[in-house]
Amino acid sequence: MTLRVSIVGASGYVGGELLRLLLDHPHVTIVQATSARNAGRYLYQVHPNLRGRTNLQFVHPDTLQPCDLLFLALPHGEAAQAIERYAALAERIIDCSADFRLRDPAVYQQWYGNPHPAPAWLERFVYGLPEVNRAALIGARYASGVGCNATATNLALLPLVQADLIDHTRPIIADVKVGSSEGGATASDASHHPERSGAVRSFAPVGHRHLAEVEQVTGLRNVHMSITAIELVRGALATVHAFAARDLTEKDLWQAYRGFAREQPFIRIVKERQGIYRYPEPKILAGANYADIGFAYEPTTGRIVSICAIDNLMKGAAGSAVQCMNLMCGFAETTALTFMGLHP
């Protein structure tokens, strides 16, 4: 089976990652990649890493043709405005924006400030994190994207949540450090090199929208998230502080993390006794769909520190989207996603 796939909004960073992954997918043919601003240009003129791999040119979104599956890599709000059009063009859709991540339209309005443009569609989309929705994604027609900061936080929390190890009466603090690619491909004052270089900038100490996804996935209502931009291009590192519901041993935590990771092809436990990579590190995950999780425990206080590192453009966006496609279409889940990252 060869799947005819198109990417809407293919000139951004997430679109570029989708192209990179799908060009190596043995069951996919990319038929169109849209960009209003770059229509007529070759893909490699915007994504130079694709040079020599494809002679496909960007097409204007108005010329989008029917295909088997559409990836929507558009700015937040745009996919929902035109979902009926896209659904008429493709049997399956994976939207990489925030438009269909939240099930409750009231929660969407609370976090995004406006009523949802297509509330009836929310229940049709499966939240696209295979680690929690694998069964629902198999054979699904519509999948949402995931927030990168939410994904790092969720994957740090889920081993503890599933093993019921967290004291729900005490605050849970999620400190997430992120790279500049999270801001997207469009330049801004904040991304100007003299302003961004060397920065350790708290840009969302409270109120980050991805908290809504954490609450939806984990069921927790006492998570407090802060986001800090650091001098890194790719990557997100969530350091989550929670308190144990009872006296624990390190063996209890190992059982929880191994139990969670056992059936997850892209979850790796990183907890070493020595060396500089004792805990998860985003640097070595560049270009990879893996999520590295680890933990530390402070028995005198009952504090558990759970850590997750991802590439925000991969496990936090395009990689998870392709993983969803594999599940939706009956391909092996890991197809085209086994690149393990770089070192050094």
Side-chain angles (χ1 to χ4, degrees):
M1 173 183 177
T2 299
L3 201 68
R4 299 175 71 256
V5 169
S6 292
I7 302 166
V8 180
S11 61
Y13 290 148
V14 174
E17 286 294 272
L18 288 169
L19 290 166
R20 177 177 69 87
L21 295 171
L22 295 173
L23 283 169
D24 269 345
H25 199 294
H27 307 302
V28 164
T29 296
I30 301 172
V31 290
Q32 286 185 303
T34 80
S35 171
R37 185 165 56 93
N38 294 291
R41 300 181 72 192
Y42 290 102
L43 301 187
Y44 62 79
Q45 292 177 306
V46 174
H47 305 296
N49 57 319
L50 305 183
R51 186 178 286 114
R53 295 301 312 277
T54 176
N55 287 318
L56 204 63
Q57 294 171 287
F58 289 104
V59 299
H60 195 278
D62 292 346
T63 67
L64 190 64
Q65 298 296 312
C67 62
D68 299 319
L69 186 146
L70 269 179
F71 285 97
L72 306 180
L74 295 164
H76 299 321
E78 293 189 12
Q81 295 284 355
I83 188 60
E84 297 285 352
R85 178 197 173 211
Y86 295 131
L89 290 172
E91 181 181 2
R92 290 186 169 90
I93 293 173
I94 300 173
D95 174 45
C96 295
S97 78
D99 288 12
F100 299 101
R101 295 175 190 168
L102 303 179
R103 292 190 297 267
D104 187 337
V107 175
Y108 177 91
Q109 184 167 355
Q110 173 191 344
W111 286 96
Y112 289 89
N114 297 296
H116 195 279
W121 279 86
L122 291 175
E123 63 183 18
R124 303 188 194 185
F125 276 77
V126 179
Y127 184 70
L129 186 62
E131 285 71 19
V132 295
N133 280 334
R134 181 172 286 105
L137 285 164
I138 294 173
R141 291 186 63 189
Y142 306 112
S144 77
V146 293
C148 50
N149 303 317
T151 296
T153 303
N154 280 328
L155 294 177
L157 280 168
L158 282 169
L160 305 175
V161 170
Q162 292 184 1
D164 197 22
L165 298 182
I166 295 176
D167 182 350
H168 293 252
T169 69
R170 304 183 69 176
I172 299 165
I173 307 299
D175 174 49
V176 187
K177 297 178 177 64
V178 301
S180 58
S181 60
E182 181 172 303
T186 302
S188 68
D189 289 344
S191 66
H192 184 48
H193 184 267
E195 301 293 340
R196 189 65 174 77
S197 181
V200 179
R201 181 177 300 141
S202 293
F203 71 89
V206 297
H208 197 282
R209 292 168 171 175
H210 288 186
L211 180 56
E213 293 173 58
V214 175
E215 293 180 344
Q216 179 174 273
V217 167
T218 65
L220 297 168
R221 293 295 180 267
N222 57 339
V223 179
H224 307 274
M225 177 184 282
S226 293
I227 315 294
T228 303
I230 63 172
E231 189 165 357
L232 185 72
V233 175
R234 288 174 178 256
L237 180 73
T239 305
V240 181
H241 304 260
F243 288 90
R246 55 181 173 82
D247 289 338
L248 296 177
T249 65
E250 191 161 286
K251 182 179 178 181
D252 295 324
L253 289 165
W254 271 110
Q255 288 177 338
Y257 281 77
R258 284 172 174 155
F260 174 67
R262 187 173 296 120
E263 304 300 325
Q264 309 294 352
F266 293 108
I267 302 294
R268 306 187 299 194
I269 300 174
V270 180
K271 182 174 170 58
E272 305 290 344
R273 294 184 180 274
Q274 59 187 1
I276 61 174
Y277 293 103
R278 290 175 294 159
Y279 296 108
E281 162 64 68
K283 177 184 176 181
I284 63 170
L285 293 171
N289 194 50
Y290 290 95
D292 287 350
I293 58 174
F295 65 90
Y297 182 52
E298 191 173 61
T300 56
T301 64
R303 181 170 63 111
I304 306 166
V305 181
S306 189
I307 305 166
C308 176
I310 62 171
D311 178 337
N312 57 295
L313 295 177
M314 280 293 296
K315 190 61 185 160
S320 281
V322 171
Q323 191 177 348
C324 287
M325 180 196 74
N326 288 337
L327 290 165
M328 293 163 70
C329 299
F331 307 137
E333 186 173 348
T334 59
T335 305
L337 295 171
T338 55
F339 177 69
M340 71 255 339
L342 298 171
H343 177 260

